[in-house]
Amino acid sequence: MMQFEPRAYGPSVAALLENAKCNELGLGVPDATRRAQLAALAPETIAAPHAVRDSEMALACAAGLWLRCDFLDESHRISQNIDNPWGSFWHAIMHRREGDFDNAKYWFRRVGEHAIYAPLASAAKQLASGCELPPPADFLLHGNDWDAKRFVDLCRRALDDEPSLVPWCMNIQQREWELLFDDCYRQAIGHRS
């Protein structure tokens, strides 16, 4: 499994992600100490020291960074204006975290098949292996395809009545963020996967 290294994304991103905690499944509490840094982000500062090759994907990175620091409204304002699968993906995660699960599924349908689904399925399987998971989570151990809508249901269940699922869901959500951010960043600087 790829190790996520914030310094690989340049100084602005590294500074934002330094000592960042794992996000809650729900709303979380916005990290006010990072608001000014986030507000100062522009496509060029996100991509630095690289040149921006795809400004829409740099904006997708910004949506992800606002979300990572628990500013869901700010992330939403950006992602809803990115009309591609990556914008829909950030939009879906934001709605899942705010507890609007049906809307999250709608946006995941708009994502379609995504390049990060296979590595996410693999990471989820690795995170869940060796653990006793209740039946609603057993899909994490089987198959190589990621089912985003099923993961939405699992997060809902974890939040509503199965708190033992919360740590797994949080870890998978973290890996989801890392994979999606990495994909957006690489495209923003012109390194297509």
Side-chain angles (χ1 to χ4, degrees):
M1 183 163 44
M2 171 193 103
Q3 183 69 23
F4 187 79
E5 177 50 60
R7 290 180 297 229
Y9 303 99
S12 296
V13 173
L16 274 168
L17 298 178
E18 187 176 6
N19 302 319
K21 61 178 177 41
C22 190
N23 291 110
E24 299 292 326
L25 284 184
L27 297 172
V29 177
D31 186 347
T33 65
R34 301 196 193 286
R35 180 182 282 284
Q37 287 174 281
L38 287 161
L41 287 177
E44 298 75 27
T45 57
I46 291 170
H50 306 284
V52 175
R53 302 282 187 231
D54 186 331
S55 58
E56 191 170 56
M57 294 309 289
L59 287 173
C61 288
L65 290 166
W66 280 101
L67 188 62
R68 183 72 178 88
C69 296
D70 292 329
F71 290 95
L72 275 63
D73 289 340
E74 290 81 351
S75 176
H76 186 242
R77 276 195 287 282
I78 297 167
S79 66
Q80 71 183 353
N81 290 309
I82 301 171
D83 191 21
N84 66 30
W86 296 266
S88 294
F89 208 135
W90 290 122
H91 201 158
I93 294 170
M94 188 285 306
H95 282 301
R96 186 183 69 213
R97 288 198 49 208
E98 75 173 352
D100 188 352
F101 301 109
D102 291 335
N103 208 359
K105 288 180 182 181
Y106 166 81
W107 285 100
F108 275 120
R109 281 191 296 278
R110 293 203 45 181
V111 170
E113 286 302 311
H114 200 281
I116 74 155
Y117 279 173
L120 181 56
S122 176
K125 187 183 290 189
Q126 188 173 359
L127 289 165
S129 68
C131 302
E132 262 191 61
L133 295 175
D138 62 1
F139 78 96
L140 297 172
L141 295 169
H142 307 293
N144 296 318
D145 297 326
W146 182 247
D147 189 334
K149 293 179 284 304
R150 220 163 156 190
F151 185 63
V152 169
D153 291 337
L154 188 65
C155 291
R156 170 186 255 169
R157 184 164 181 158
L159 290 167
D160 288 350
D161 56 67
E162 192 105 25
S164 66
L165 292 171
V166 170
W168 283 296
C169 290
M170 284 176 61
N171 287 326
I172 293 167
Q173 176 179 262
Q174 178 66 30
R175 190 69 186 127
E176 173 187 53
W177 187 94
E178 293 168 353
L179 288 165
L180 185 57
F181 183 82
D182 182 73
D183 191 41
C184 291
Y185 185 84
R186 289 180 183 283
Q187 291 188 60
I189 63 171
H191 295 163
R192 305 260 182 230
S193 310

